[in-house]
Amino acid sequence: MSDYSSSQSDNDNAFAGGLSDPDSIQYRHRRQVFDIINRLHSHGLQHQMDLPQIAVVGSQSVGKSSLIESVSGITLPRATGTCTRCPIECRLSRTDTSWSCEVYLRVARQSAEIQFGTPITDKAEVQERIRRAQQAILNPSRPTSDFIHAQPLTIGQNEHSFSSDLISVRISGRDVDDLSFVDLPGIIASVRQGGREADIREVKDLVMSFITKPSCLILLVVSCETDIENQGARQLAKQVDPNGERTIPVLTKPDRIATAEHATWVRLLENQQEYFKHGWFCVKQSNQQQLDDGISWAEARQNEIEFFEHVMPWSGLDDNLRRRLGTRALTQSLGLTLFHLICERLPGLYQEVLRKLQATKDAIAQLPKKLEGDPVGIIWKILGVFHRDVAQLVAGRPEDGAQGLLQLLHRYRLRFREAIFNQAPQFMPYKKFRHPLLDYLPKNVESGGEPLEPSTQDSSTLVFLDEVMDFAANAITRELPANYPYAVKKAYVARFTARWLQPAQNFFEKMEQQFVKELKKLVAIHFSQFAAGGLEKAILEIVLTQLKLCSNRTQEKMVECVALEHEEPMTSNEGYLADYKAIFYARYTEHYKRTDPPTSGRPRNPVHMQNVITNLANMGIHHNEEDLLLRLRPATAADATLPEVAIEIMAEVRAYYQIAFKRFVDYIALIIDFNLLKGLDRTIDEALFVGLSLGKHDVRERASNFLKEDTDLERRRIILDQDLERFEKACLEFENIPG
């Protein structure tokens, strides 16, 4: 036998799949390394971590299934078109026991693998078991037992054409190579009549989900029967691994190379025409006639050896290239490459598992606690905690900062105060027709630093001296001379308090909106996990309904407060009133004197004044300033007292407004706080008790229905619990690695 066959035979016992003598320490170490990665895959971590693995990739009909059979020693399901419709993981383990095979299903929706049937000891049964397992994967709505025991297995249209769920085939025995890999569906170039165009994209996405991971070795199967440029799997491999760092290409069907075309494929094997870090390999599988005749695995291996030994150009290659021929050479190299990759990645994988374990624990801790026990007691407990938080909200939470409810109450009250203050009457101690609008006196301040006059000037609040004089003079009824009705002051007070309701309403609406916003937050925090049972919706409706009652009560009190201020001027702060009156009287009087008012009032008959002006013009005296002409008229006692009376009215009305507006601002703030905020706090317990019907006979059933957890939250809790289980098991795997 040639050097090739001799070298293969000599290495059979010393080396299998890249692993040394099973009795050696090195072999046991490598076996443990493979086992830990296999168990991490079994825990379903390949979807969450970049675990080292070998993915077998190829286009349709390139001999990929035949290669898998040659490596594993089992027969895969055969069918026209695509045979593999989901990932099939093959775990090969060399043991000192007889041959056996177990099949498991690994589905994304379950944390644990599903054993599919009992262990197999007859290789002839494997093909049918895998076929049934694939049907179970493609029809997930049916129980797996339907596919294990059905005789015969009859399936119409599958629920899915392809699936990312995985079949794990675990083979062990004395003649089994140590290796693990996953066989992926073949890349589809086109679909047959009646097929789904979407299958092309689905298969491509499935393959890409594996080979894009940096720790995935890509076993690229290339058929010598088809132009390499037309094989789609090669394009995908080049796309994710452009430098060929982790792609291991293997040529199949070398016996079908056309005459005179061997040189092209040999150049590839030499790794010169298209370079890959791990080089090219070439294998030869049984043809269809041999398969139909039932050729054994051992016979197929022997035929492969003889082919490369006796058929040119393969038999004439140098030793370096001859070591890349045959299935045994491929499995040896794959085993070594995978082992080195795993050793390189293990420390980082352990740290990644620890990080993900902690992140999962943190995510679980952030979920609402799953409640257990008497549903009625749980409802009462939740309501108690909710009311406690409402009470804290109403009492004020310093940690909320500037946007806290009570902090905003204070800020809105200051704005409300300014709005009411800016509506204060701005009395002008001069006649309207004499002067334009101006800032007639510096804005003096009170002893506390507060201004006496509004910062803005509103024409609707301006009242001039002559307007007050006319109003006072025209209001006289039965009064004695030089006496003016109290109704004048009352009318001015009523005029300037009549507009107080709107600023108060604005203040109330801002607080109500903020309160609703905060209450909705609290309802969501405490009850969102029970949205599915309707508890969150019920609580929110009850809270908002009760808040509406409190809002109506608050607005009634506000309207009543405005009516009280508008109805009749009244104050017990006589001292403050006198002090303010003195301040404003002095201010108005000082300016009245500075503006040098006329010594007499307007003539009672404007026609007479016009006659005077006309007569003077006829005499050659052209003057039309009424004030100067009025100085010629002797002053009367009434003319002398009326401005002083008007100033006294202005000072007293303004002084009263200064007292009344402060009182009103405080009352409105108290009404909002007491009836809206504290009002809800006082009444929410009873409203919830009545609204949830917690006193009725069916309370336990109602409570149970209310406590149904939101489906999204329940699903997330299940997923996180599964992740926690996976990562905890993974940690144990790493901790149990022998030193």
Side-chain angles (χ1 to χ4, degrees):
M1 187 173 287
S2 70
D3 293 338
Y4 173 79
S5 60
S6 299
S7 62
Q8 293 290 302
S9 300
D10 292 342
N11 285 327
D12 278 351
N13 294 326
F15 199 90
L19 300 181
S20 56
D21 181 7
D23 295 328
S24 69
I25 296 177
Q26 292 84 353
Y27 176 91
R28 290 195 296 270
H29 172 64
R30 291 178 179 179
R31 183 68 261 164
Q32 290 167 347
V33 167
F34 278 159
D35 286 344
I36 188 173
I37 289 298
N38 286 337
R39 287 194 292 270
L40 293 180
H41 279 285
S42 293
H43 298 323
L45 293 179
Q46 71 277 0
H47 296 296
Q48 296 162 291
M49 299 176 64
D50 180 19
L51 298 179
Q53 64 181 341
I54 298 173
V56 185
V57 178
S59 300
Q60 281 184 311
S61 304
V62 295
K64 185 166 59 66
S65 294
S66 297
L67 173 61
I68 301 302
E69 293 173 352
S70 179
V71 172
S72 63
I74 60 173
T75 303
L76 297 177
R78 297 278 179 172
T80 302
T82 303
C83 304
T84 306
R85 292 187 171 271
C86 68
I88 300 178
E89 176 190 69
C90 290
R91 294 186 188 176
L92 312 178
S93 301
R94 197 180 210 194
T95 64
D96 57 0
T97 59
S98 58
W99 186 95
S100 68
C101 173
E102 293 181 319
V103 178
Y104 291 81
L105 306 184
R106 191 182 308 149
V107 296
R109 60 188 180 274
Q110 297 189 25
S111 60
E113 293 182 312
I114 304 169
Q115 185 166 1
F116 192 78
T118 57
I120 302 171
T121 56
D122 184 355
K123 290 184 180 182
E125 298 178 6
V126 175
Q127 183 182 38
E128 178 63 15
R129 182 71 61 84
I130 294 176
R131 187 173 73 88
R132 290 172 175 270
Q134 185 163 254
Q135 291 297 320
I137 290 288
L138 297 177
N139 298 276
S141 67
R142 294 177 56 176
T144 57
S145 58
D146 287 358
F147 302 92
I148 297 175
H149 304 299
Q151 295 293 337
L153 178 61
T154 55
I155 297 292
Q157 184 69 30
N158 290 320
E159 296 174 23
H160 301 291
S161 297
F162 294 88
S163 175
S164 59
D165 290 337
L166 179 145
I167 301 171
S168 180
V169 181
R170 300 169 190 180
I171 302 169
S172 61
R174 298 183 182 89
D175 298 325
V176 177
D177 293 334
D178 270 296
L179 189 64
S180 295
F181 55 88
V182 58
D183 179 28
L184 300 178
I187 300 299
I188 304 174
S190 61
V191 295
R192 297 175 181 272
Q193 185 176 2
R196 296 172 63 250
E197 289 291 337
D199 289 348
I200 298 176
R201 184 68 189 183
E202 186 174 354
V203 170
K204 179 182 177 182
D205 291 342
L206 174 58
V207 172
M208 291 293 282
S209 69
F210 278 81
I211 67 176
T212 52
K213 296 180 179 179
S215 295
C216 177
L217 295 173
I218 306 170
L219 181 58
L220 176 63
V221 183
V222 178
S223 172
C224 296
E225 191 178 25
T226 308
D227 187 347
I228 190 172
E229 298 295 336
N230 296 330
Q231 301 187 37
R234 172 176 169 272
Q235 302 303 323
L236 294 185
K238 296 291 286 185
Q239 181 179 333
V240 299
D241 183 30
N243 297 322
E245 295 291 323
R246 53 189 181 87
T247 300
I248 304 173
V250 54
L251 301 175
T252 63
K253 304 184 181 181
D255 53 325
R256 299 189 186 182
I257 299 176
T259 306
E261 292 185 4
H262 286 83
T264 300
W265 301 101
V266 171
R267 282 196 298 272
L268 288 174
L269 188 63
E270 291 173 343
N271 207 22
Q272 295 180 2
Q273 181 172 322
E274 191 168 341
Y275 175 81
F276 289 91
K277 176 182 177 180
H278 302 289
W280 290 74
F281 290 85
C282 184
V283 297
K284 192 267 181 191
Q285 280 78 47
S286 301
N287 57 39
Q288 189 59 50
Q289 183 61 51
Q290 291 172 325
L291 293 174
D292 293 341
D293 292 341
I295 188 173
S296 69
W297 178 72
E299 290 173 337
R301 279 286 185 94
Q302 185 59 38
N303 286 344
E304 180 186 42
I305 293 174
E306 292 178 357
F307 174 81
F308 286 121
E309 178 180 350
H310 299 296
V311 177
M312 291 291 291
W314 316 107
S315 60
L317 298 177
D318 62 40
D319 289 344
N320 287 332
L321 291 182
R322 288 166 64 78
R323 281 193 285 269
R324 293 185 170 274
L325 302 177
T327 304
R328 178 53 57 85
L330 175 65
T331 56
Q332 289 177 1
S333 180
L334 290 177
L336 279 175
T337 304
L338 180 61
F339 171 71
H340 291 311
L341 176 61
I342 294 173
C343 291
E344 179 183 331
R345 288 280 290 127
L346 273 181
L349 286 174
Y350 183 42
Q351 295 303 317
E352 186 178 355
V353 166
L354 292 177
R355 289 193 301 270
K356 289 183 178 293
L357 175 61
Q358 187 58 51
T360 303
K361 289 180 178 179
D362 294 341
I364 292 175
Q366 292 175 3
L367 293 178
K369 185 178 179 182
K370 189 172 184 179
L371 303 175
E372 298 178 354
D374 176 43
V376 179
I378 292 173
I379 290 286
W380 277 114
K381 183 177 180 179
I382 299 173
L383 292 178
V385 176
F386 171 68
H387 188 194
R388 180 200 65 193
D389 285 353
V390 171
Q392 290 178 350
L393 173 67
V394 171
R397 300 180 302 208
E399 64 273 13
D400 288 347
Q403 296 304 310
L405 183 67
L406 268 292
Q407 292 88 330
L408 288 174
L409 174 65
H410 176 68
R411 191 151 65 248
Y412 293 155
R413 185 185 66 83
L414 293 179
R415 294 177 186 174
F416 170 59
R417 186 185 191 280
E418 183 179 5
I420 299 298
F421 180 59
N422 286 338
Q423 291 184 6
Q426 298 190 61
F427 290 110
M428 301 299 172
Y430 50 79
K431 296 179 181 179
K432 186 175 183 179
F433 72 93
R434 278 183 55 88
H435 298 282
L437 298 181
L438 51 84
D439 190 9
Y440 67 92
L441 278 180
K443 298 293 190 283
N444 291 354
V445 297
E446 300 184 46
S447 58
E450 294 186 358
L452 284 173
E453 303 291 348
S455 58
T456 59
Q457 199 170 63
D458 184 353
S459 60
S460 66
T461 63
L462 296 176
V463 183
F464 293 90
L465 180 65
D466 52 334
E467 294 175 329
V468 178
M469 292 167 60
D470 289 345
F471 189 17
N474 294 331
I476 295 175
T477 55
R478 296 178 181 274
E479 287 78 7
L480 294 173
N483 286 276
Y484 297 92
Y486 166 71
V488 174
K489 298 176 182 178
K490 182 178 178 181
Y492 276 119
V493 169
R495 170 183 168 183
F496 287 99
T497 57
R499 299 191 299 171
W500 281 3
L501 181 59
Q502 188 56 52
Q505 185 68 24
N506 294 341
F507 178 21
F508 161 77
E509 288 176 357
K510 287 184 177 181
M511 282 308 303
E512 183 186 39
Q513 291 170 4
Q514 189 63 28
F515 199 23
V516 169
K517 180 180 177 181
E518 295 292 341
L519 289 171
K520 286 183 176 179
K521 286 182 182 178
L522 288 179
V523 170
I525 289 172
H526 291 279
F527 304 104
S528 61
Q529 70 180 108
F530 307 115
L535 182 59
E536 181 183 21
K537 180 181 178 182
I539 294 292
L540 184 59
E541 288 179 352
I542 294 169
V543 169
L544 294 182
T545 299
Q546 188 61 28
L547 182 63
K548 185 63 177 177
L549 295 176
C550 295
S551 297
N552 293 340
R553 176 65 174 168
T554 302
Q555 290 179 295
E556 290 173 1
K557 289 293 184 181
M558 287 168 50
V559 171
E560 183 179 338
C561 184
V562 173
L564 288 173
E565 294 290 352
H566 185 70
E567 180 70 20
E568 189 79 38
M570 192 281 294
T571 180
S572 299
N573 295 316
E574 297 177 2
Y576 284 118
L577 181 64
D579 290 343
Y580 277 126
K581 181 177 179 180
I583 292 172
F584 285 109
Y585 188 85
R587 286 168 58 80
Y588 297 156
T589 301
E590 178 185 356
H591 188 64
Y592 173 71
K593 291 178 179 179
R594 286 200 301 113
T595 55
D596 190 20
T599 58
S600 58
R602 283 183 177 274
R604 294 175 183 248
N605 193 331
V607 176
H608 293 167
M609 173 59 73
Q610 186 59 44
N611 290 338
V612 171
I613 293 174
T614 302
N615 291 334
L616 288 173
N618 293 335
M619 297 171 60
I621 302 174
H622 298 282
H623 213 298
N624 61 358
E625 294 185 17
E626 293 184 13
D627 284 353
L628 295 177
L629 296 175
L630 288 172
R631 293 175 186 274
L632 302 176
R633 175 173 169 267
T636 65
D639 290 335
T641 59
L642 188 54
E644 284 77 7
V645 170
I647 289 176
E648 189 274 336
I649 292 174
M650 293 160 61
E652 185 161 321
V653 170
R654 184 64 184 83
Y656 180 78
Y657 191 96
Q658 197 72 7
I659 293 174
F661 102 86
K662 294 181 179 180
R663 173 180 64 198
F664 178 71
V665 168
D666 287 343
Y667 279 164
I668 293 298
L670 287 172
I671 288 171
I672 292 175
D673 188 21
F674 182 79
N675 291 284
L676 181 67
L677 306 186
K678 294 179 180 177
L680 181 74
D681 184 29
R682 290 192 303 271
T683 59
I684 191 62
D685 267 352
E686 183 178 357
L688 290 171
F689 178 80
V690 174
L692 294 176
S693 302
L694 295 181
K696 294 186 177 181
H697 68 281
D698 61 344
V699 59
R700 191 170 302 279
E701 180 182 354
R702 290 172 56 79
S704 296
N705 292 332
F706 276 141
L707 292 177
K708 288 181 180 177
E709 200 168 51
D710 179 76
T711 53
D712 290 339
L713 177 60
E714 184 178 11
R715 188 180 302 110
R716 176 162 173 73
R717 191 189 302 280
I718 291 173
I719 291 173
L720 287 174
D721 287 342
Q722 291 175 346
D723 288 346
L724 180 64
E725 182 181 358
R726 290 189 183 102
F727 291 126
E728 286 179 339
K729 289 180 178 178
C731 278
L732 289 176
E733 299 291 355
F734 281 105
E735 291 168 1
N736 291 332
I737 295 178

